[in-house]
Amino acid sequence: MLSAAVLLTLVTVSVASEGAKWKYGETDSHGYGPPDWGKVSKFCDYTAQSPINIETPVKKDASLKGLRFTTKNRNGRVSGDIKNNGHAPTLTIDKRKGKARLTGGPLGDSVYMLQQFHFHFGCDYDEGSEHLVNGKAYPGELHLVTYNTKYADFDTAASQSDGLTVIGVFFERKCSTFITSGQLIQSLSLPGAEASVKNIALFDLVPELKDLSSFYSYKGSLTTPPCYQSVNWIVLKEPIKLRSFVFGAMRRLKNGEGGLMCGNFRPPQKLNGRVVSELDG
């Protein structure tokens, strides 16, 4: 069990925000809400936006076979800097201390490198995930953001049509001890706008990363401005199971306006003829 002091530092993480022009919720003096994000970036009004409601059954696709997430160590350990940017707790990977790569399957010969991961979550258990499945929302969603290494860096790749692949992982409440609950708390709990985090075991946090065979795939966009339509989405079917106190701690985080961060998810966007697929066999 984690101490109360650790939980306290989680909910008092400082906000590093520069008065962003966009926000979640209603449009007001603090910024534009999701329906008005097109005023922040024109791409947010384009027709291949994310997230979406995934309606099953979906198309079977044998080309999705062979997708692999790899690191040079057994537990997929990565280190980096955790920051509350006013919109989501975000950990940017320090590639000097361990790299994680995504290859194979729908990515062809391209190699994608993990740049960062961040969290979306609701203020209650009936909402929080960005993607829905048959209209169902989960309490939260983790996004592991990778970029195509044929481009010089993440910023260059972000606007390219084949620039990014994001793995989406749902959160689910589980009233039992789970080894990665503590790791998730620790990754969020360091005080200050930014702090170093060492040896987060991604394969413990997301066991499905060791065998990427059960997921939905489609072409979409970043779910925040600038909403570039550059993302190959890999949405895992199996959720992460977290204890209730983990959700409670996240829901006490503050956003860039000084209010609660919970509810930091974009509503589902229209599919507009796009095809959602899953692995055949």
Side-chain angles (χ1 to χ4, degrees), residues 7 9 25 49-50 60 105 127 143 183 189 197 208 220 224 248 271:
L7 292 178
T9 54
Q49 290 290 291
S50 297
K60 302 286 187 178
E127 64 176 15
H143 288 167
Q183 293 173 327
S189 64
V197 178
E208 296 298 308
T224 60
L271 195 58

Side-chain angles (χ1 to χ4, degrees), residues 6-205:
V6 172
L7 292 178
L8 179 61
T9 54
L10 168 64
V11 301
T12 56
V13 172
S14 297
V15 172
S17 180
E18 299 179 354
K21 295 181 180 180
W22 66 271
K23 60 187 285 292
Y24 295 99
E26 301 293 330
T27 296
D28 57 26
S29 60
H30 294 292
Y32 293 107
D36 297 316
W37 282 356
K39 297 176 182 178
V40 179
S41 171
K42 64 181 182 180
F43 300 104
C44 298
D45 285 337
Y46 279 22
T47 59
Q49 290 290 291
S50 297
I52 61 169
N53 175 36
I54 299 169
E55 296 184 349
T56 61
V58 301
K59 178 185 176 182
K60 302 286 187 178
D61 187 349
S63 71
L64 299 179
K65 186 176 181 179
L67 187 65
R68 298 179 66 234
F69 186 91
T70 59
T71 64
K72 290 186 176 180
N73 54 74
R74 177 186 297 179
N75 293 322
R77 294 187 182 276
V78 295
S79 300
D81 294 322
I82 185 76
K83 177 184 290 187
N84 179 341
N85 61 20
H87 303 296
T90 302
L91 190 144
T92 302
I93 304 300
D94 185 343
K95 301 179 188 67
R96 299 168 300 175
K97 299 180 180 180
K99 299 177 181 179
R101 293 182 172 89
L102 188 65
T103 57
L107 307 182
D109 295 329
S110 297
V111 176
Y112 286 72
M113 186 176 296
L114 183 64
Q115 172 72 15
Q116 53 104 321
F117 60 87
H118 60 270
F119 308 88
H120 300 269
F121 45 93
C123 299
D124 206 339
Y125 291 109
D126 60 356
E127 64 176 15
S129 64
E130 296 214 294
H131 289 90
L132 310 181
V133 179
N134 295 322
K136 174 188 174 181
Y138 289 82
E141 187 172 336
L142 165 68
H143 288 167
L144 297 128
V145 183
T146 72
Y147 72 94
N148 195 331
T149 57
K150 79 176 188 180
Y151 300 107
D153 51 39
F154 173 80
D155 290 337
T156 303
S159 61
Q160 306 302 313
S161 62
D162 61 348
L164 305 179
T165 296
V166 180
I167 300 175
V169 191
F170 296 122
F171 294 159
E172 184 176 71
R173 180 170 56 166
K174 180 71 172 181
C175 297
S176 66
T177 301
F178 190 68
I179 186 170
T180 59
S181 295
Q183 293 173 327
L184 175 58
I185 285 288
Q186 290 168 15
S187 73
L188 297 172
S189 64
L190 295 171
E194 185 171 354
S196 295
V197 178
K198 296 181 179 180
N199 295 323
I200 297 296
L202 293 178
F203 291 160
D204 287 343
L205 180 62

